[in-house]
Structure formats: C-alpha cells, structure tokens
Amino acid sequence: MRWLATLPRGIWMNLEERIVAEHNEYRKMLEKLTQTGIEDADLRMEVYADLSMRVEAHERAEAQTLHAAIMKEEDVRIREIAMESLEQERIIRLLLVELRKIGVDNE
C-alpha cells in the first residue's frame, strides 16, 4: 500500500497495534455482556453503553483515516479489504442497535 510508505514505520506500527488492541478490547467487552445474566442488568447497561460509545468513536476514526486512505489505493484487492471491513462495521452497528432494543433485562 503506497500510502503506508508515506508514514514513518513507528507511527504505522503504533497505529496497527492500537487498532488490534482496541478490537481485542471490544471482544472482551462482548464476552462480558454474554456472560452476565438478568440479575446483572446494571453491569450489562454499563458495559453496553461503554462498548457502543467506544465502537462508534473507533469506527469514525477508522473511516476518516484508514478507510479513506485505503479507498484511494489503486490495488483493487486492498480496496476490497476496506469494503469488507466497512461491511463488518455496519453489521456491528446493527447488532448493537438490536441489543439495545432487546434491553439489558432479557436473557
């Protein structure tokens, strides 16, 4: 990816590590949600609200920086990866909306 070559290696590695770390954190938060029961409604709501806020901010940042740069790439395969990532993020947003509709006091 040509645009990556314009970034100093340390910055790219830090960005990559941060994205991976954030994705791992979101997985842990989702696991925490699935491991709680109705009796943990307050905890569920807290985790859900935190997860939703973090995912939304993360998606905006990726869309404005990473995805925007990748979509300018001439290599179709790279653009396809970006499109796949955007689709996954769209699905995550839909799932978070569905979780909100279900409510924290349902199994």
Side-chain angles (χ1 to χ4, degrees):
M1 293 184 277
R2 281 181 297 144
W3 66 274
L4 282 178
T6 65
L7 295 175
R9 181 151 176 78
I11 292 174
W12 167 245
M13 293 305 292
N14 187 30
L15 178 61
E16 181 182 28
E17 289 169 4
R18 182 174 177 185
I19 290 170
V20 169
E22 287 179 5
H23 287 191
N24 289 335
E25 181 67 24
Y26 304 147
R27 281 186 199 92
K28 289 177 188 175
M29 294 172 84
L30 284 169
E31 286 175 20
K32 192 172 191 177
L33 278 175
T34 62
Q35 295 171 355
T36 58
I38 293 174
E39 67 280 357
D40 299 318
D42 290 341
L43 176 60
R44 275 184 171 183
M45 190 62 218
E46 181 182 320
V47 172
Y48 172 80
D50 190 29
L51 176 64
S52 294
M53 179 187 67
R54 288 178 184 217
V55 167
E56 185 177 322
H58 179 89
E59 286 179 359
R60 272 197 313 267
E62 275 190 0
Q64 293 172 358
T65 57
L66 191 60
H67 296 304
I70 290 173
M71 293 308 288
K72 293 177 183 174
E73 272 295 313
E74 293 178 15
D75 188 333
V76 174
R77 294 170 298 170
I78 293 170
R79 288 197 315 264
E80 287 173 355
I81 291 169
M83 293 300 292
E84 184 177 314
S85 177
L86 289 170
E87 177 62 14
Q88 290 172 355
E89 291 170 2
R90 185 186 70 78
I91 291 168
I92 290 168
R93 281 192 307 274
L94 291 173
L95 290 173
L96 287 171
V97 167
E98 289 301 313
L99 281 173
R100 185 176 57 233
K101 288 178 185 176
I102 292 170
V104 295
D105 55 353
N106 288 314
E107 280 289 332

